[in-house]
Amino acid sequence: MKRGLKRTDKKKQPAEQAPAKPRATRTSRYDARPQEIPEAADDTGQDEMDEAATGWQQTTVKMAGITKLITFGVWALILAGPAIGVFAVAVAGSSKAAPPTTASQTQGQPSATGPAGFAELYLTAYLAAGEGTEDDLTPFYSEPVALANEPGSRHATSTTTVAAEQVSKGYWAVTVAARISAKNKAGKTIDQGLHYFRVGVQVSGSPEAGGTAKPATPATPTGTAGSAKPTATAGSPKPSGSAGTDNPSALYAATSLPAEVNAPTSAAHGDLAYGSDLGVNENDPVADTVSRFFAAYLTGQGELNRYVAPGLEVAAIVPAPYKSTLVTGLQDDQDKTDSNAEDTTVPADGTKRHVLVSVSATTDGQDYLLTYALTLSTRDGRWEVAAVDTAPVLAPGQTGPVADGTSPTTSPSPDASADSAED
């Protein structure tokens, strides 16, 4: 019994004795176990012991400090609010100031795409119209028209805008070239060649085309006699009442019937950087490289990469458009005369040369003449194609075409063409 009592006293002893003060180590700050920590006392010393054992700063004094810090931060944001608002307004104002500048630049360089397309459609309808089909012109030109020719007596097989001049804001003069087929007196349709017509086109609702910001308001209310004239729109037609919308569609209207005019003045190109054509020498390594290159490029015969310098990415045309090729002319930018034209030596590696090549390409029994501008370079004792130039090289100082002094080309008379065809 005594031994039992003693054992009972020993079991109670750990609960009655004060726990040993734990040592604060580096590991204990990350691997604390709350179930092994004794109940905390109410004194400050026990709080410090808990902090050392757990690593968490949770005392009343420190929590109060954190609360003050948060409060200070909130008040700082509140006091800084007006300054932040002023900065935001300044940034927003500067960002909103950019679009007007862009818009002014766009208005300073309006696009003629819309007026030109409208003029081409109008001319196509005009050429095909005739007596009894005048209403076909109403979407383009709203004035009453009385035509005397037979409908379909002529038509445009193709149309292309060759000039577009902005007469004033929202008003364009567009010149359109049309290839016309017409019936002669015998009723046979013949090709009358190219004719040129000028059309006045007014634009509204499209600043990009030089038009006003909003379409013009009609002089009289819609829905009454003599109301606003119908106008064509980009896309589906819209009534004149759309003038009050914020983003109106573009409106186009011709101001008269088309006027036939002369063809544009012909011009001659400026001087090129190539000399005169001295012919093609079969023993010339340049001619040999060029001939083999075009045979592979245009007909698929031979390996193209053998004649191409490293770094140039070019592939043969697929499917091959021609059966055979023949180089008929060769001009270069070297100072050559008849005395050194027979020189067939290849210069040092890295030498460059610009050539203008005339090629006769054959398919289906027909020969077609083509011209290519190439840049050649030397490597390992041979010439290679270093670049297929996008256009022939101009001589220094050449900036544009020059008038050749000839009189403007005149359009043939429809009656004369018809009579000659009939004869």
Side-chain angles (χ1 to χ4, degrees):
M1 295 297 292
K2 292 182 179 180
R3 292 181 181 175
L5 291 174
K6 289 181 179 179
R7 285 196 297 270
T8 304
D9 296 338
K10 290 181 179 180
K11 292 178 180 180
K12 295 179 180 180
Q13 186 176 358
E16 296 175 357
Q17 293 180 353
K21 186 174 182 181
R23 295 177 59 189
T25 63
R26 184 184 300 271
T27 305
S28 66
R29 301 177 67 87
Y30 300 95
D31 193 20
R33 299 179 180 178
Q35 65 273 18
E36 297 180 359
I37 299 176
E39 296 181 1
D42 294 338
D43 56 321
T44 306
Q46 187 64 29
D47 290 341
E48 294 175 355
M49 181 185 68
D50 292 343
E51 294 171 6
T54 61
W56 296 99
Q57 308 297 324
Q58 296 179 355
T59 61
T60 305
V61 176
K62 294 181 179 179
M63 290 298 293
I66 294 175
T67 302
K68 291 181 179 180
L69 181 62
I70 294 174
T71 303
F72 176 78
V74 173
W75 277 106
L77 291 174
I78 294 175
L79 295 176
I84 295 174
V86 172
F87 177 76
V89 171
V91 172
S94 62
S95 63
K96 291 180 179 179
T101 302
T102 304
S104 63
Q105 294 174 353
T106 302
Q107 293 176 2
Q109 299 177 351
S111 172
T113 302
F118 175 85
E120 292 181 17
L121 294 175
Y122 175 37
L123 182 59
T124 300
Y126 164 77
L127 292 174
E131 185 178 5
T133 62
E134 292 87 352
D135 290 343
D136 293 344
L137 305 181
T138 303
F140 308 95
Y141 180 54
S142 57
E143 292 287 349
V145 177
L147 300 178
N149 62 286
E150 179 185 353
S153 59
R154 60 178 180 174
H155 65 276
T157 58
S158 65
T159 57
T160 302
T161 298
V162 296
E165 177 187 356
Q166 190 177 27
V167 180
S168 60
K169 185 175 181 180
Y171 193 30
W172 294 79
V174 182
T175 302
V176 180
R179 179 166 291 277
I180 297 178
S181 292
K183 293 180 180 180
N184 59 13
K185 295 180 179 179
K188 182 179 179 180
T189 301
I190 61 173
D191 182 13
Q192 288 194 327
L194 284 175
H195 291 244
Y196 297 84
F197 297 84
R198 183 177 297 128
V199 179
V201 179
Q202 194 173 13
V203 188
S204 64
S206 179
E208 293 78 9
T212 56
K214 293 182 180 181
T217 303
T220 57
T222 58
T224 61
S227 60
K229 303 166 185 177
T231 55
T233 65
S236 58
K238 290 189 176 181
S240 301
S242 62
T245 58
D246 295 333
N247 297 309
S249 300
L251 301 177
Y252 300 92
T255 55
S256 67
L257 291 175
E260 186 157 0
V261 296
N262 281 320
T265 301
S266 59
H269 66 76
D271 295 334
L272 302 181
Y274 312 96
S276 60
D277 190 350
L278 300 179
V280 179
N281 182 0
E282 296 180 356
N283 298 323
D284 185 0
V286 171
D288 182 69
T289 295
V290 169
S291 298
R292 296 180 184 274
F293 170 81
F294 283 112
Y297 181 67
L298 296 174
T299 69
Q301 301 176 13
E303 185 179 353
L304 187 63
N305 291 335
R306 293 183 57 187
Y307 314 105
V308 172
L312 176 61
E313 296 183 0
V314 61
I317 300 176
V318 178
Y322 302 101
K323 299 298 182 182
S324 63
T325 58
L326 176 66
V327 174
T328 59
L330 187 62
Q331 301 171 252
D332 63 16
D333 58 349
Q334 306 297 312
D335 293 331
K336 265 193 172 184
T337 60
D338 292 335
S339 59
N340 61 5
E342 300 296 329
D343 185 10
T344 59
T345 59
V346 178
D349 288 2
T351 303
K352 289 189 177 298
R353 185 175 178 180
H354 298 283
V355 295
L356 191 65
V357 186
S358 296
V359 181
S360 177
T362 304
T363 183
D364 296 332
Q366 300 293 327
D367 296 332
Y368 300 96
L369 192 62
L370 307 170
T371 303
Y372 290 88
L374 302 177
T375 298
L376 306 180
S377 63
T378 55
R379 184 174 69 95
D380 296 337
R382 66 178 184 271
W383 286 99
E384 295 177 329
V385 178
V388 179
D389 300 335
T390 55
V393 180
L394 294 175
Q398 297 295 325
T399 58
V402 293
D404 62 1
T406 61
S407 58
T409 304
T410 57
S411 301
S413 171
D415 294 336
S417 300
D419 294 340
S420 61
E422 186 178 4
D423 296 339

